[in-house]
Amino acid sequence: MVKFLDVVVVAAASSALSAVEGFSAGGGRAHRQSWAPASSTRLCAETDAAVDQIAEDMLRRKGGDMDESAAFASFAASQSKVVGDITGSIDDLTLETDEVSTSESGFAVDGKTVRLQGGEAPGGSNVAWLSDLSVEDRLSSLTVFNGPLTDVPHLVSRAAIKDGKVNFFLDIRPRAYGAYDLRDKEGNYPGPEELGRKAFEYSGARKDFDSKFGTEDLVAFLDEMTGKFDGATELPGLDDDGLDEAERATRGPLALAYEMPLSDANVDTINAIREKAASSWLEWSRDDSHSHRPGAPINTQFVHDTKFRINAYGALLGAYVSLFGQSEGERLAASDSGPIDEAYVGGGS
């Protein structure tokens, strides 16, 4: 037999949840209003705690304490600032609005407007492609591919919103093959007994990336920030057998992939991570110490990048089809990836 007190607690929690959901998106965190009926007596402290816990659990099952429009607005504002910092620092990087699509113009995602700004900075600035993509209430994505004049990592940063949750992916992608796709579940890599002399080449590439880009400070920052996620589920990574071939071929050792409820705290943490990654990329891209020597190193980088960008398109295609369906996913992936046959942007060689 259900106790009367249990019924009161659940009913009170439901009322509390309704009060939370009644707040506008722009009002920040919602505060629980007085939900108790006028005729009810004051509940004991234990009952208050039970109500709070049930309301929190119910809210979490519904996806979090932030609606999709508010979350998208926050992601979009953060990305706009990041892109502004990049274009303001790289004089010859000009972004053009390649596509603005609505349901009336023949292409939209879930009836939402698609907006893409893309561009490049040939020569010394060495930006082969930058894509600033958004889908209203659904996606905020920043992609940067570098030209072959440096070993600065590529950057992929996106937050996709679906069914009251956010799918967050970030990768700072090495420019040399380090056999990351061969790493086992314990984090070990095959040695010379399996790969011969190539094992030393791949090990050197990993050490070079770690010393320049994947530093202890950056790793510590990412660990600290991901530790703040609330209710997050880590998605398959390099150590998981279920990762598809294109993803495995392109992911770097710092890749983050999570799904989590929409909440103020989670959205703020994602923004902080994305902003840090973009500012790090900008700092690295302006540092001449990351430039290749003229000649063979640039040509080698060009060959690697050309194949890498094809694989990166395949990985992105799989991600977008999973998130948005076959037709819309294909078109988004093609737009976001840019001209995959133009890894070399010329100049400076």
Side-chain angles (χ1 to χ4, degrees):
M1 180 176 180
V2 179
K3 296 180 181 179
F4 173 75
L5 182 59
D6 293 335
V7 175
V8 171
V9 169
V10 173
S14 297
S15 298
L17 180 62
S18 297
V20 169
E21 292 178 329
F23 276 71
S24 65
R29 287 189 177 277
H31 298 283
R32 183 158 59 92
Q33 294 179 328
S34 176
W35 42 260
S39 60
S40 67
T41 59
R42 181 179 179 275
L43 296 177
C44 65
E46 290 82 3
T47 305
D48 276 340
V51 169
D52 287 340
Q53 184 60 54
I54 292 174
E56 181 179 344
D57 290 344
M58 293 171 71
L59 194 60
R60 190 180 305 284
R61 286 197 297 271
K62 293 180 73 65
D65 62 358
M66 194 177 201
D67 68 31
E68 293 178 347
S69 294
F72 172 76
S74 181
F75 290 141
S78 174
Q79 182 158 307
S80 178
K81 175 184 179 299
V82 163
V83 172
D85 290 342
I86 292 174
T87 55
S89 300
I90 304 176
D91 293 337
D92 51 349
L93 175 59
T94 301
L95 301 185
E96 298 181 356
T97 302
D98 283 1
E99 184 169 18
V100 176
S101 302
T102 65
S103 55
E104 290 78 15
S105 66
F107 172 65
V109 173
D110 293 337
K112 304 291 187 177
T113 298
V114 178
R115 177 178 175 273
L116 170 68
Q117 291 190 111
E120 61 183 36
S125 293
N126 200 48
V127 178
W129 175 249
L130 187 149
S131 170
D132 172 16
L133 173 66
S134 68
V135 179
E136 180 188 4
D137 294 347
R138 291 293 178 266
L139 175 69
S140 175
S141 174
L142 174 65
T143 301
V144 187
F145 287 110
N146 303 286
L149 306 184
T150 72
D151 62 354
V152 173
H154 303 309
L155 176 64
V156 178
S157 170
R158 67 174 176 264
I161 301 168
K162 186 176 182 180
D163 299 330
K165 295 184 178 181
V166 57
N167 183 298
F168 169 54
F169 181 78
L170 181 126
D171 200 4
I172 298 170
R173 295 182 156 171
R175 301 292 298 287
Y177 180 67
Y180 297 107
D181 55 324
L182 302 180
R183 188 174 69 186
D184 64 21
K185 294 183 182 300
E186 285 71 43
N188 300 314
Y189 294 90
E193 66 281 358
E194 296 180 54
L195 301 177
R197 295 182 59 84
K198 284 290 185 181
F200 299 107
E201 176 185 331
Y202 302 153
S203 175
R206 294 193 298 270
K207 290 178 181 178
D208 191 52
F209 176 81
D210 291 345
S211 64
K212 291 182 176 182
F213 309 112
T215 62
E216 291 182 1
D217 287 346
L218 181 56
V219 171
F221 170 81
L222 295 176
D223 286 345
E224 177 186 358
M225 298 306 287
T226 54
K228 295 181 179 180
F229 287 150
D230 182 24
T233 299
E234 189 167 6
L235 301 176
L238 279 171
D239 302 335
D240 296 290
D241 296 334
L243 201 64
D244 70 44
E245 184 177 350
E247 284 280 6
R248 190 173 296 280
T250 53
R251 283 201 186 183
L254 302 181
L256 305 177
Y258 289 87
E259 184 178 77
M260 67 197 79
L262 283 175
S263 68
D264 284 348
N266 284 340
V267 168
D268 288 346
T269 301
I270 289 172
N271 283 337
I273 295 172
R274 298 183 73 206
E275 289 171 12
K276 172 65 174 179
S279 66
S280 296
W281 175 87
L282 182 59
E283 180 181 346
W284 297 329
S285 71
R286 302 300 88 198
D287 186 345
D288 291 339
S289 70
H290 300 310
S291 297
H292 286 307
R293 298 188 311 275
I298 293 176
N299 294 333
T300 300
Q301 187 70 72
F302 166 64
V303 172
H304 175 81
D305 286 354
T306 301
K307 181 178 180 181
F308 184 91
R309 285 191 64 176
I310 294 172
N311 286 329
Y313 165 74
L316 186 63
L317 176 63
Y320 280 170
V321 167
S322 175
L323 288 167
F324 303 113
Q326 189 69 40
S327 177
E328 294 171 347
E330 287 179 357
R331 185 160 177 179
L332 283 175
S335 299
D336 202 9
S337 294
I340 61 176
D341 58 342
E342 296 179 13
Y344 183 57
V345 296
S349 61

